[in-house]
């Protein structure tokens, strides 16, 4: 089997409007489609990340909270590649998003940092 790329990452949020605002207006992701699924009382928002990947933002009325700290088993975070991490951090700061201190990947010597979405899910910025 050969994988071509990661197609999408699914995120379940607690407050759909708040998370939609964050992913679209703060992070600047483009809406591909938005669907309300009446049978599930759930929204599904497909967002474009660059040309090759998507985020599926879901709302489910009775979803349980995911532990972030201490770190739990399972998928850990989403990481977005950026050309310039300092510029990305400034842009986030202008939108009142607090990032952690920049760190250096000990294996690649690349800069990276983390911040959180409205549900406190970790998001990483990784410099190209």
């Amino acid at each position: 089997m050969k994988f071509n790329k990661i197609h999408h990452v699914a995120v379940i949020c607690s407050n759909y409007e708040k998370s939609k605002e964050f992913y679209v207006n703060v992070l600047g992701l483009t809406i591909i489609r938005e669907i309300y699924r009446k049978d599930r009382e759930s929204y599904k928002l497909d967002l474009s990340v660059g040309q090759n990947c998507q985020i599926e933002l879901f709302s489910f009325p009775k979803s349980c909270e995911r532990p972030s700290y201490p770190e739990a088993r399972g998928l850990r975070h989403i990481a977005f590649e950026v050309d310039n991490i300092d510029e990305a951090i400034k842009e986030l700061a202008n939108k009142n998003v607090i990032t952690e201190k920049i760190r250096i990947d000990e294996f690649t010597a690349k800069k990276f940092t983390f911040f959180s979405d409205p549900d406190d899910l970790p998001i990483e910025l990784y410099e190209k």
Side-chain angles (χ1 to χ4, degrees), residues 11-23 43 45 57-61 63 117-119:
V11 175
I12 299 172
C13 63
S14 64
N15 181 316
Y16 179 72
E17 292 303 325
K18 188 175 182 181
S19 290
K20 178 181 174 182
E21 164 73 18
F22 179 80
Y23 283 93
Y43 280 95
L45 181 66
L57 183 64
F58 290 97
S59 66
F60 291 112
S63 60
D117 84 348
D119 285 303

Side-chain angles (χ1 to χ4, degrees), residues 86-101:
D86 297 305
E87 288 177 12
I89 289 170
K90 285 179 191 173
E91 188 174 328
L92 288 171
N94 288 336
K95 296 176 180 178
N96 299 315
V97 176
I98 298 168
T99 58
E100 295 179 359
K101 181 180 173 187

Side-chain angles (χ1 to χ4, degrees), residues 80 82 84-86 89 102-105 108-113 124-128:
F80 294 113
V82 295
N84 185 305
I85 200 163
D86 297 305
I89 289 170
I102 292 176
R103 294 184 259 169
I104 306 296
D105 185 310
T108 66
K110 301 286 185 173
K111 295 179 185 178
F112 69 99
T113 189
E124 180 179 359
L125 293 180
Y126 196 90
E127 192 169 71
K128 185 174 181 180

